[in-house]
Amino acid sequence: GAERRAGDPAGPPRMSVAEAAEEAEVGASADLRERAAARVRQQLTASVNAPHNPRGVSVAGSVGATVRRATALLEVGLIERECEARLLLLALVGGEHLLLLGPPGTAKSELCRRLSTIARLGYFERTLTRFSTPEELFGPLSLAALERDEFRRATAGYAPTAELLFLDEIFKSNSAILNTLLTLLNERLFDDGAKRERVPLLSAVAASNEGPESDDLSALYDRFLLRRLVAPVSDDGVLELLLGGEAAEGGSVDAALPDLREALEEVRAAAPSVRLPRHVALLLRDARAFVRETGADGLGGGYVSDRRLRRSAELLKACAAAHGRDTVSVVDVAAVLPHVLWDTAEEAAALAEWVEDNALPDGGAEQLRFLLESVRSRAAAEAADESAGPAAEAAGGGGGGGKPTHYHYL
């Protein structure tokens, strides 16, 4: 291929067709990246200069205001939980499930209870053990049905009737409930005796102190597209936690936003029409290749399924639609991508660094942090102006010291 034959004029060695094609592909990718970098800076500047409630796609400006008020209410009195609150709302918008990995006492269940109150959603929560029975999760057997020789459950008030589901210690699920739970999460269906019924589940949130320990739980793990490592409050945030009085974690939020459900439905309807640009598709492709080459131990072997990659792209569209954009922006990529493609804590840290290095041009990460903080401050001020009571308090809530690990924009 690249050898120079005798008598050939001096010059560079000739390349084979395969080598030439590979070089052309690399050059094309580099050119696309260079053009994407220019667009990135335009998008970052537009994120601050444009109104925070843009009227893009088919989402009205009032929808953006409703989502901001909901975000503010979720964060009231919770220290360093801004990212978790936004991911929870994003999971509900995108119809996906969220997994929170971290020690007890880090406000995981509190966030879910707040969201169920704010959005007026049917809510069910349960802590699983290795001895949990189907009756605890799906309801007891119906005595009335047994009298008719039917094997059915009394599901009212249990997981099959919930719109928002919270399962603590999810990886302690046993074989007695695992298959039914998988069908409930993935297909939104429940096998009740001889009948298969559709359930109203919008999103499920699971919590665990650690990841799955056996291959039997890998299918359950894969059902949670969004994943977040939840750490205790940092040393800088402890003072705010201790001196915050009754505003600290544990305080309930009783306010509801009657129009939130309608706003979320409007965002879901608009999401499919959002455009995914080619440079974002290239980033998703390269991110999967990075996870595959890196793996949990840095030796390769990381796996991202086709289904997971496709659902990640759909979630990016939902994030853009929630902000009234008709095209996925680099802001959406930086906010979502670090939470969807990893399997282990090591992969999570490596992927977050990769996104910062590859999704943004030189110096873009620091610029994005500054601009997103500006957007967040503006959103908090608008939320305080638009609503009274708890939402006004939320304008200054959250926070906590330290540099944010990931970006959040919703």
Side-chain angles (χ1 to χ4, degrees):
E3 294 179 345
R4 189 184 308 156
R5 297 178 181 177
D8 282 351
R14 291 178 297 183
M15 295 185 293
S16 67
V17 174
E19 289 172 331
E22 181 179 357
E23 182 173 299
E25 182 179 355
V26 171
S29 296
D31 182 58
L32 283 170
R33 284 283 173 77
E34 188 174 339
R35 284 182 286 167
R39 285 195 296 267
V40 163
R41 296 198 180 278
Q42 295 176 353
Q43 291 170 351
L44 292 179
T45 303
S47 297
V48 171
N49 293 334
H52 191 69
N53 56 344
R55 298 177 182 271
V57 200
S58 61
V59 177
S62 60
V63 172
T66 300
V67 172
R68 292 198 303 277
R69 289 198 299 271
T71 305
L73 284 171
L74 281 175
E75 297 175 15
V76 171
L78 298 182
I79 313 302
E80 297 179 0
R81 293 294 172 260
E82 300 92 342
C83 186
E84 289 78 5
R86 285 160 171 75
L87 288 176
L88 178 58
L89 204 54
L90 178 60
L92 192 61
V93 167
E96 293 293 347
H97 307 312
L98 169 65
L99 175 64
L100 301 174
L101 290 171
T106 49
K108 298 186 290 291
S109 60
E110 173 64 21
L111 282 168
C112 285
R113 296 189 194 106
R114 289 186 178 193
L115 183 57
S116 68
T117 300
I118 294 169
R120 294 182 176 177
L121 299 173
Y123 179 66
F124 178 82
E125 71 172 70
R126 187 69 78 225
T127 299
L128 301 180
T129 70
R130 301 194 184 281
F131 306 103
S132 294
T133 63
E135 287 73 20
E136 296 177 46
L137 200 57
F138 308 118
L141 292 177
S142 171
L143 297 180
L146 286 175
E147 291 178 354
R148 301 190 301 269
D149 295 329
E150 296 178 1
F151 187 88
R152 305 197 66 178
R153 295 189 180 276
T155 58
Y158 287 86
T161 62
E163 295 172 298
L164 180 62
L165 180 62
F166 179 73
L167 299 175
D168 202 3
E169 298 299 337
I170 182 69
F171 296 122
K172 288 185 169 58
S173 302
N174 55 61
S175 57
I177 64 175
L178 191 56
N179 289 336
T180 304
L181 184 58
L182 287 173
T183 305
L184 189 78
L185 294 176
N186 192 51
E187 301 174 42
R188 305 305 204 272
L189 295 172
F190 174 65
D191 292 320
D192 192 10
K195 295 183 178 180
R196 173 165 280 198
E197 301 176 346
R198 185 158 295 280
V199 300
L201 182 66
L202 298 175
S203 181
V205 180
S208 179
N209 298 335
E210 55 192 4
E213 297 179 351
S214 67
D215 293 338
D216 296 338
L217 296 171
S218 58
L220 180 61
Y221 190 37
D222 188 60
R223 294 300 187 271
F224 294 89
L225 177 63
L226 281 162
R227 297 166 182 173
R228 168 70 176 171
L229 298 174
V230 184
V233 174
S234 67
D235 291 343
D236 291 333
V238 163
L239 286 178
E240 188 176 354
L241 178 68
L242 297 178
L243 300 177
E246 56 186 28
E249 184 221 329
S252 60
V253 173
D254 299 325
L257 295 176
D259 53 346
L260 179 58
R261 182 191 291 266
E262 182 180 347
L264 295 176
E265 291 175 355
E266 191 170 342
V267 172
R268 292 191 203 103
S273 62
V274 172
R275 187 176 71 88
L276 186 78
R278 179 173 174 79
H279 71 275
V280 173
L282 285 172
L283 281 171
L284 285 170
R285 181 199 68 179
D286 294 348
R288 182 172 75 164
F290 172 78
V291 172
R292 181 174 61 244
E293 294 167 3
T294 304
D297 53 6
L299 301 177
Y303 175 68
V304 178
S305 66
D306 295 343
R307 178 180 63 185
R308 190 170 193 83
L309 195 66
R310 178 65 181 173
R311 286 164 57 190
S312 299
E314 296 301 321
L315 193 62
L316 286 171
K317 293 182 179 182
C319 185
H323 298 95
R325 291 190 289 272
D326 59 2
T327 303
V328 174
S329 163
V330 66
V331 179
D332 305 309
V333 174
V336 174
L337 199 55
H339 304 288
V340 294
L341 298 183
W342 55 268
D343 278 339
T344 66
E346 292 78 9
E347 288 180 7
L351 180 61
E353 184 177 350
W354 184 92
V355 170
E356 186 170 306
D357 291 341
N358 291 269
L360 304 171
D362 293 341
E366 201 61 38
Q367 183 182 5
L368 182 58
R369 287 194 189 96
F370 173 76
L371 294 179
L372 291 187
E373 184 59 32
S374 299
V375 171
R376 182 174 180 272
S377 299
R378 181 188 302 177
E382 290 178 2
D385 292 339
E386 293 166 357
S387 59
E393 296 176 16
K403 171 182 169 182
T405 305
H406 303 305
Y407 308 111
H408 42 270
Y409 187 57
L410 189 69

